[in-house]
Short mmCIF file of all heavy atoms in Angstrom, two decimals:
data_model
loop_
_atom_site.label_atom_id
_atom_site.label_comp_id
_atom_site.label_asym_id
_atom_site.label_seq_id
_atom_site.Cartn_x
_atom_site.Cartn_y
_atom_site.Cartn_z
N ASP A 18 39.54 -119.55 7.21
CA ASP A 18 38.96 -120.51 8.16
C ASP A 18 38.50 -121.81 7.50
O ASP A 18 37.47 -122.37 7.86
CB ASP A 18 37.78 -119.89 8.92
CG ASP A 18 38.26 -118.88 9.97
OD1 ASP A 18 39.42 -119.02 10.41
OD2 ASP A 18 37.49 -117.99 10.31
N VAL A 19 39.25 -122.25 6.50
CA VAL A 19 38.93 -123.53 5.85
C VAL A 19 39.97 -124.57 6.24
O VAL A 19 41.18 -124.33 6.18
CB VAL A 19 38.87 -123.37 4.31
CG1 VAL A 19 38.75 -124.73 3.64
CG2 VAL A 19 37.69 -122.49 3.91
N LEU A 20 39.47 -125.70 6.69
CA LEU A 20 40.33 -126.84 7.02
C LEU A 20 40.24 -127.83 5.87
O LEU A 20 39.14 -128.27 5.50
CB LEU A 20 39.84 -127.48 8.33
CG LEU A 20 40.55 -128.72 8.83
CD1 LEU A 20 42.04 -128.44 9.08
CD2 LEU A 20 39.89 -129.21 10.11
N LYS A 21 41.39 -128.16 5.29
CA LYS A 21 41.39 -129.06 4.15
C LYS A 21 41.73 -130.47 4.63
O LYS A 21 42.79 -130.67 5.24
CB LYS A 21 42.43 -128.56 3.14
CG LYS A 21 42.18 -129.05 1.76
CD LYS A 21 42.87 -128.25 0.70
CE LYS A 21 42.52 -128.94 -0.59
NZ LYS A 21 43.23 -128.73 -1.71
N VAL A 22 40.84 -131.40 4.37
CA VAL A 22 41.08 -132.79 4.79
C VAL A 22 40.81 -133.73 3.61
O VAL A 22 40.16 -134.75 3.74
CB VAL A 22 40.20 -133.17 6.02
CG1 VAL A 22 40.74 -132.54 7.29
CG2 VAL A 22 38.75 -132.76 5.82
N ASP A 23 41.37 -133.33 2.46
CA ASP A 23 41.17 -134.08 1.22
C ASP A 23 41.77 -135.48 1.26
O ASP A 23 41.36 -136.35 0.51
CB ASP A 23 41.84 -133.34 0.05
CG ASP A 23 40.93 -132.27 -0.50
OD1 ASP A 23 39.92 -131.97 0.16
OD2 ASP A 23 41.24 -131.74 -1.59
N ASN A 27 37.41 -135.64 2.19
CA ASN A 27 36.71 -134.88 1.15
C ASN A 27 37.09 -135.21 -0.29
O ASN A 27 36.50 -134.67 -1.22
CB ASN A 27 36.90 -133.38 1.35
CG ASN A 27 36.12 -132.85 2.53
OD1 ASN A 27 36.61 -132.05 3.30
ND2 ASN A 27 34.88 -133.32 2.69
N ILE A 57 23.70 -133.99 2.53
CA ILE A 57 23.64 -133.12 1.35
C ILE A 57 24.83 -133.43 0.46
O ILE A 57 25.93 -133.70 0.98
CB ILE A 57 23.58 -131.63 1.78
CG1 ILE A 57 23.55 -130.71 0.57
CG2 ILE A 57 24.70 -131.27 2.73
CD1 ILE A 57 23.12 -129.29 0.89
N SER A 60 29.89 -133.79 -0.38
CA SER A 60 30.87 -134.39 0.53
C SER A 60 30.25 -135.16 1.69
O SER A 60 30.93 -135.93 2.36
CB SER A 60 31.85 -133.34 1.04
OG SER A 60 31.16 -132.25 1.55
N ILE A 96 20.39 -123.00 0.36
CA ILE A 96 21.52 -123.12 1.29
C ILE A 96 22.70 -122.31 0.76
O ILE A 96 23.06 -122.42 -0.41
CB ILE A 96 21.92 -124.61 1.44
CG1 ILE A 96 20.79 -125.38 2.17
CG2 ILE A 96 23.24 -124.74 2.20
CD1 ILE A 96 21.07 -126.84 2.39
N ARG A 97 23.27 -121.49 1.65
CA ARG A 97 24.49 -120.75 1.28
C ARG A 97 25.70 -121.64 1.54
O ARG A 97 25.89 -122.13 2.65
CB ARG A 97 24.59 -119.45 2.08
CG ARG A 97 25.92 -118.71 1.85
CD ARG A 97 25.92 -117.33 2.47
NE ARG A 97 24.97 -116.44 1.82
CZ ARG A 97 25.18 -115.82 0.66
NH1 ARG A 97 26.33 -115.97 0.03
NH2 ARG A 97 24.25 -115.04 0.13
N SER A 98 26.51 -121.83 0.52
CA SER A 98 27.69 -122.68 0.66
C SER A 98 28.82 -121.93 1.36
O SER A 98 29.18 -120.83 0.95
CB SER A 98 28.15 -123.15 -0.72
OG SER A 98 29.49 -123.53 -0.68
N PHE A 99 29.36 -122.55 2.40
CA PHE A 99 30.47 -121.93 3.14
C PHE A 99 31.70 -121.84 2.26
O PHE A 99 32.37 -120.81 2.22
CB PHE A 99 30.79 -122.78 4.38
CG PHE A 99 31.89 -122.19 5.22
CD1 PHE A 99 31.59 -121.32 6.26
CD2 PHE A 99 33.22 -122.50 4.96
CE1 PHE A 99 32.61 -120.77 7.03
CE2 PHE A 99 34.24 -121.95 5.73
CZ PHE A 99 33.93 -121.08 6.76
N THR A 100 31.99 -122.91 1.53
CA THR A 100 33.25 -122.96 0.78
C THR A 100 33.19 -122.22 -0.56
O THR A 100 34.20 -121.77 -1.06
CB THR A 100 33.71 -124.42 0.58
OG1 THR A 100 32.56 -125.23 0.36
CG2 THR A 100 34.44 -124.94 1.79
N ASP A 124 26.74 -134.78 8.26
CA ASP A 124 27.54 -134.00 7.31
C ASP A 124 29.01 -134.03 7.72
O ASP A 124 29.33 -134.40 8.85
CB ASP A 124 27.03 -132.55 7.20
CG ASP A 124 27.37 -131.92 5.84
OD1 ASP A 124 27.92 -132.62 4.95
OD2 ASP A 124 27.10 -130.71 5.65
N ASP A 125 29.86 -133.66 6.77
CA ASP A 125 31.30 -133.70 7.04
C ASP A 125 31.74 -132.57 7.97
O ASP A 125 32.52 -132.77 8.89
CB ASP A 125 32.10 -133.68 5.72
CG ASP A 125 31.82 -132.45 4.86
OD1 ASP A 125 30.78 -131.77 5.05
OD2 ASP A 125 32.65 -132.15 3.97
N PHE A 126 31.23 -131.35 7.72
CA PHE A 126 31.66 -130.18 8.48
C PHE A 126 30.45 -129.40 8.96
O PHE A 126 29.39 -129.40 8.32
CB PHE A 126 32.45 -129.22 7.56
CG PHE A 126 33.93 -129.51 7.52
CD1 PHE A 126 34.45 -130.36 6.55
CD2 PHE A 126 34.79 -128.92 8.41
CE1 PHE A 126 35.81 -130.62 6.49
CE2 PHE A 126 36.15 -129.16 8.37
CZ PHE A 126 36.67 -130.02 7.41
N MET A 127 30.63 -128.69 10.06
CA MET A 127 29.67 -127.63 10.40
C MET A 127 30.46 -126.36 10.69
O MET A 127 31.45 -126.38 11.44
CB MET A 127 28.81 -127.97 11.60
CG MET A 127 27.88 -126.81 11.96
SD MET A 127 26.24 -127.31 12.43
CE MET A 127 26.59 -128.23 13.87
N ALA A 128 30.02 -125.26 10.07
CA ALA A 128 30.64 -123.95 10.31
C ALA A 128 29.54 -123.00 10.81
O ALA A 128 29.24 -122.96 12.00
CB ALA A 128 31.30 -123.47 9.03
N ASN A 129 28.91 -122.30 9.89
CA ASN A 129 27.83 -121.38 10.30
C ASN A 129 26.49 -122.09 10.53
O ASN A 129 25.56 -121.49 11.06
CB ASN A 129 27.64 -120.29 9.23
CG ASN A 129 28.85 -119.39 9.15
OD1 ASN A 129 29.43 -119.03 10.17
ND2 ASN A 129 29.26 -119.05 7.93
N GLY A 130 26.41 -123.32 10.08
CA GLY A 130 25.18 -124.07 10.28
C GLY A 130 24.16 -123.91 9.15
O GLY A 130 23.03 -124.38 9.26
N CYS A 131 24.57 -123.27 8.04
CA CYS A 131 23.61 -123.04 6.95
C CYS A 131 23.14 -124.34 6.31
O CYS A 131 21.94 -124.51 6.03
CB CYS A 131 24.23 -122.16 5.86
SG CYS A 131 24.65 -120.54 6.44
N ALA A 132 24.08 -125.26 6.07
CA ALA A 132 23.70 -126.53 5.46
C ALA A 132 22.71 -127.26 6.37
O ALA A 132 21.68 -127.77 5.91
CB ALA A 132 24.94 -127.39 5.22
N MET A 133 23.00 -127.27 7.68
CA MET A 133 22.10 -127.94 8.63
C MET A 133 20.73 -127.28 8.67
O MET A 133 19.70 -127.95 8.68
CB MET A 133 22.68 -127.89 10.05
CG MET A 133 23.63 -128.97 10.35
SD MET A 133 23.00 -130.59 9.90
CE MET A 133 24.19 -131.03 8.67
N LYS A 156 33.58 -126.78 13.42
CA LYS A 156 34.48 -125.67 13.73
C LYS A 156 33.81 -124.87 14.83
O LYS A 156 32.89 -124.08 14.59
CB LYS A 156 34.76 -124.86 12.47
CG LYS A 156 35.62 -125.67 11.47
CD LYS A 156 36.08 -124.87 10.29
CE LYS A 156 34.91 -124.56 9.40
NZ LYS A 156 35.29 -123.79 8.21
N GLU A 159 33.02 -121.15 15.01
CA GLU A 159 31.96 -120.60 14.16
C GLU A 159 30.61 -120.96 14.79
O GLU A 159 30.52 -121.89 15.57
CB GLU A 159 32.14 -121.09 12.73
CG GLU A 159 33.22 -120.26 12.07
CD GLU A 159 33.80 -120.77 10.77
OE1 GLU A 159 33.85 -121.98 10.56
OE2 GLU A 159 34.23 -119.94 9.99
N MET A 181 42.32 -122.78 14.96
CA MET A 181 43.30 -123.31 14.00
C MET A 181 44.03 -122.14 13.37
O MET A 181 43.45 -121.07 13.16
CB MET A 181 42.61 -124.21 12.97
CG MET A 181 41.45 -123.60 12.21
SD MET A 181 40.61 -124.83 11.22
CE MET A 181 39.93 -123.76 9.91
P1 5GP B 201 27.95 -124.32 7.11
O1 5GP B 201 26.77 -124.50 6.21
O2 5GP B 201 27.78 -124.93 8.46
O3 5GP B 201 28.43 -122.89 7.17
O4 5GP B 201 29.16 -125.10 6.40
C1 5GP B 201 29.11 -126.49 6.30
C2 5GP B 201 29.34 -126.96 4.89
O5 5GP B 201 30.39 -126.23 4.28
C3 5GP B 201 29.73 -128.41 4.89
O6 5GP B 201 28.77 -129.12 4.14
C4 5GP B 201 31.10 -128.47 4.22
O7 5GP B 201 31.01 -129.12 3.00
C5 5GP B 201 31.51 -127.04 4.00
N1 5GP B 201 32.59 -126.60 4.91
C6 5GP B 201 32.51 -125.67 5.89
N2 5GP B 201 33.67 -125.45 6.47
C7 5GP B 201 34.56 -126.26 5.86
C8 5GP B 201 35.98 -126.48 6.03
O8 5GP B 201 36.67 -125.88 6.86
N3 5GP B 201 36.54 -127.43 5.23
C9 5GP B 201 35.82 -128.12 4.29
N4 5GP B 201 36.48 -129.03 3.58
N5 5GP B 201 34.49 -127.92 4.11
C10 5GP B 201 33.87 -127.00 4.87
#
Side-chain angles (χ1 to χ4, degrees):
D18 286 335
V19 171
L20 178 59
K21 202 161 178 198
V22 285
D23 276 12
N27 288 138
I57 179 164
S60 51
I96 293 180
R97 174 171 294 280
S98 159
F99 182 91
T100 36
D124 206 5
D125 59 341
F126 271 91
M127 177 140 63
N129 294 319
C131 297
M133 274 312 117
K156 291 187 289 181
E159 281 166 330
M181 54 188 207

